[in-house]
Amino acid sequence: GITSGLFHAGEFNFYNKLALLGRRGNAIELDAAELKKQSPRQTNQWGIDDRAMVDATFKWIDSLPRNKPFAALMIPITAHYPYWTPTDWVKRYNGSSREKRFLDAVAFQDQVFGDMVRGFQERGLYDDTLFIWLGDHGHYVGEPNRITENLRGFYEPNLHTPLLLVNSRMFPASLPSTARTNSRLSSHVDLLPTILNALGKAPDPRHQGQSVLAEHFEQRRMFFGADNGKYVGFIEGFNKFVVNTQDRRTEYYDLKT
C-alpha cells in the first residue's frame, strides 16, 4: 500500500545500479540523465546538483493523493569523489585539496538535507515522515596510508558508516541521549528489518538481517569484501582480524589503540 519512488543525482548506469535498485515496483525512477533534461541545475561529469534530485522528489510527492503513504529513496552524488559543489553555493572550506573539497561537499549536502526537511515541514508532512540518512560506505579522505591498498579495504573509515533515523514523534528531543543512540554492531543487511520495526510492521522472513531496535539482537561480527570476496574477517569486542583470501596475508588490530 506504499507508493515508492527512486531518485538519483548520479546515473543509474554507473555500477549498473538498477540491477539492485530498479524494477521493484517503483512508481518513478529518475537519475541525472533524465534530470539534466528537465532541470536548470548545474551538472558535472558524475551527475547533477543534488538539489535537482530533491526538486524532482517534491514534484512527485506533490502529485500524489494527500493521504497516500509513500517512500522516496534519494541517492545524492555531491559528496562522492571528486567532491564537486555548484558555483552558486558559497564554499566554507576554501581550498583545492581533496580534504577541503570533501568538507565543502559534505557541508553542501547537509544544507540540501536541511532544505529538504523544511520542504516536508512546509507541506505538513514532517511529523508523519521517518527520515533515514544512510551512508553506503565510509570515506578515506585525510586518512594516513595503510598496509592494505585500495579504498575498499577493511579499515574503520571505510567500514564505519552513518545511520540516522529522524522523526519528532518516535525520537523526541526530550529523550535522553542514551535512548536516542544505538551502539549495536550492525550492517546494511539490517536496514530493512530496522525500518519495518520502526514503522510497527511485521518482519519479512526473506530478510537476512535483524532490527537494531529489536529487544533481542545477535552481534554478528563476520564481514567480507566487495572485491570478489578478497577480504574476510571478524570483530570480537575491540579485536579485529582480517584475511586476504588471495595471498593469505592476515592483519590483526586492537581497535582501542
Side-chain angles (χ1 to χ4, degrees):
I2 297 177
T3 302
S4 61
L6 172 62
F7 306 87
H8 184 23
E11 298 198 2
F12 289 143
N13 60 13
F14 182 69
Y15 270 146
N16 191 20
K17 293 187 182 78
L18 283 184
L20 174 67
L21 299 171
R23 298 182 293 278
R24 299 185 181 276
N26 294 312
I28 184 173
E29 295 176 350
L30 291 179
D31 71 346
E34 291 298 320
L35 293 173
K36 288 176 181 179
K37 300 174 184 177
Q38 55 186 264
S39 174
R41 302 285 190 182
Q42 288 183 331
T43 64
N44 76 339
Q45 68 267 38
W46 285 92
I48 193 169
D49 181 335
D50 290 336
R51 292 174 294 186
M53 171 192 68
V54 175
D55 294 341
T57 303
F58 277 130
K59 182 179 179 181
W60 173 69
I61 291 173
D62 291 341
S63 72
L64 297 174
R66 189 67 176 88
N67 295 319
K68 176 69 175 176
F70 64 87
L73 173 58
M74 288 175 272
I75 308 174
I77 198 66
T78 305
H80 191 289
Y81 181 84
Y83 315 125
W84 166 87
T85 52
T87 56
D88 66 336
W89 185 75
V90 179
K91 294 181 181 295
R92 301 181 189 178
Y93 303 90
N94 287 316
S96 59
S97 70
R98 178 187 175 105
E99 187 171 2
K100 295 290 188 183
R101 296 198 320 272
F102 173 71
L103 291 173
D104 266 323
V106 171
F108 173 74
Q109 205 167 85
D110 277 346
Q111 179 177 309
V112 173
F113 183 70
D115 291 342
M116 183 199 73
V117 168
R118 280 185 285 276
F120 276 84
Q121 291 171 332
E122 292 166 359
R123 289 165 172 79
L125 297 171
Y126 177 75
D127 291 330
D128 295 325
T129 301
L130 174 62
F131 300 92
I132 300 163
W133 180 269
L134 174 73
D136 59 343
H137 57 77
H139 273 285
Y140 223 65
V141 181
E143 286 293 312
N145 292 328
R146 310 283 183 163
I147 296 174
T148 302
E149 296 179 355
N150 83 44
L151 300 184
R152 301 184 190 280
F154 282 111
Y155 299 109
E156 294 308 290
N158 293 327
L159 286 180
H160 195 183
T161 61
L163 172 61
L164 299 176
L165 277 67
V166 181
N167 178 270
S168 58
R169 291 173 178 166
M170 292 179 181
F171 314 105
S174 59
L175 282 177
S177 60
T178 53
R180 289 187 284 113
T181 59
N182 192 314
S183 60
R184 286 173 167 173
L185 185 65
S186 61
S187 67
H188 289 84
V189 75
D190 300 320
L191 178 63
L192 217 49
T194 300
I195 294 173
L196 288 173
N197 191 353
L199 297 178
K201 304 292 185 182
D204 190 317
R206 295 173 298 176
H207 296 162
Q208 299 175 16
Q210 52 190 334
S211 170
V212 300
L213 303 174
E215 182 179 354
H216 301 290
F217 185 86
E218 178 190 348
Q219 291 278 38
R220 296 175 179 171
R221 300 174 293 271
M222 299 296 296
F223 53 80
F224 65 94
D227 295 331
N228 300 317
K230 181 177 180 180
Y231 298 104
V232 296
F234 68 84
I235 295 175
E236 179 84 41
F238 287 96
N239 299 294
K240 180 175 179 179
F241 189 71
V242 182
V243 179
N244 181 325
T245 61
Q246 293 186 8
D247 62 16
R248 310 305 298 175
R249 186 177 67 205
T250 62
E251 299 178 22
Y252 165 76
Y253 299 90
D254 176 357
L255 297 181
K256 280 186 177 179
T257 60

